Amino acid sequence: RAVGAVVGREARGLHNGFLASDPRRRQMTCNGCGLTLYAPNLNLVRDPRWGRAQEVYGEDPTHMGELVVEFVRGAQNNTAGRTDADGYLQAGTCCKHVAVYNTEGHAGGPSRMSLNVDVNARDLWETYLPAFQACVVRARSSHAMCSYNSLNGVPTCGSRGLLTAVLRETWRWDGFVVSDYDAWANIALAHHYNATLRAGAAQGLNAGIDQEGGSALAISTLPAAIRDGLTTPA
């Protein structure tokens, strides 16, 4: 928790400094200026050759869940299950990457942008999801990030089963979902799950994405998707 608290205080301090130097917020466009952190990374180590093993908490879902809860509570400065007493967070943490994501696609392996992972229900719920449940239910992380890969044939950023049925309906979480950088657009561009980019953008929005990470490739097509009746403004 102490490590998380240091990270959260640094984020808040930098944010306050930017506001003091630019009260109208016109220059706050750099990556990392805001209060929403892209941490913690909850993906399990399944291969020691994975290039991001040092970024995560290991290979044990229970151990990872306990560490994640303490990091999030330290960074956000909240008690378990709720925000702090006056309703404000020190910073916002991000449970990433939802879900079953632990490859970078190097050394001749499949690309992380288009990888499909087939996982049975027991392994998904007992191995890959417990740490995410701890992150959003117990620690009350402010947001979560959907991953580049597909899960059982459906891109995670276009999966209503993950982003709405699990996160919001089953776990009763009220945070927001951001896509990994361009993962929303990759529903159509890399996975070819939808025939057009606008259809892929609608797929992500209907599934439960709230914010596009990276560029604006997906959200820029949403007006056309609405005109085509693929999604609604509400």
Side-chain angles (χ1 to χ4, degrees), residues 114-193:
S114 57
L115 174 69
N116 176 57
V117 182
D118 290 315
V119 178
N120 63 46
R122 180 173 182 176
D123 208 15
L124 179 65
W125 285 97
E126 293 185 0
T127 304
Y128 291 101
L129 291 185
F132 286 99
Q133 183 175 10
C135 190
V136 302
V137 174
R138 292 173 53 200
R140 304 306 296 178
S141 182
S142 68
H143 56 299
M145 178 183 287
C146 55
S147 55
Y148 284 122
N149 59 287
S150 284
L151 175 60
N152 295 330
V154 182
T156 63
C157 288
S159 172
R160 191 183 186 282
L162 273 179
L163 306 186
T164 296
V166 174
L167 287 177
R168 295 183 170 110
E169 295 175 354
T170 302
W171 292 344
R172 302 298 180 186
W173 177 65
D174 59 358
F176 70 92
V177 175
V178 59
S179 72
D180 206 339
Y181 279 19
D182 293 329
W184 189 351
N186 283 347
I187 294 172
L189 299 182
H191 293 281
H192 307 294
Y193 190 76

Side-chain angles (χ1 to χ4, degrees), residues 77-108:
N77 192 32
N78 66 304
T79 55
R82 62 182 181 87
T83 58
D84 61 357
D86 60 3
Y88 294 95
L89 296 177
Q90 175 173 254
T93 60
C94 179
C95 309
K96 69 176 192 180
H97 310 81
V98 185
V100 197
Y101 172 82
N102 58 355
T103 183
E104 294 302 295
H106 302 303

Side-chain angles (χ1 to χ4, degrees), residues 184-220:
W184 189 351
N186 283 347
I187 294 172
L189 299 182
H191 293 281
H192 307 294
Y193 190 76
N194 301 94
T196 64
L197 184 54
R198 68 181 63 175
Q203 177 79 30
L205 188 66
N206 295 338
I209 294 182
D210 300 291
Q211 183 182 64
E212 183 170 16
S215 69
L217 283 172
I219 61 173
S220 64

Side-chain angles (χ1 to χ4, degrees), residues 37-101:
L37 310 173
Y38 282 164
N41 188 335
L42 313 186
N43 298 121
L44 295 169
V45 176
R46 281 293 178 260
D47 188 326
R49 296 170 297 178
W50 183 36
R52 298 175 73 170
Q54 78 283 357
E55 185 183 341
V56 300
Y57 296 85
E59 59 186 352
D60 184 286
T62 301
H63 182 244
M64 178 180 288
E66 295 303 313
L67 292 174
V68 161
V69 167
E70 295 307 310
F71 176 86
V72 170
R73 289 179 59 195
Q76 295 191 154
N77 192 32
N78 66 304
T79 55
R82 62 182 181 87
T83 58
D84 61 357
D86 60 3
Y88 294 95
L89 296 177
Q90 175 173 254
T93 60
C94 179
C95 309
K96 69 176 192 180
H97 310 81
V98 185
V100 197
Y101 172 82

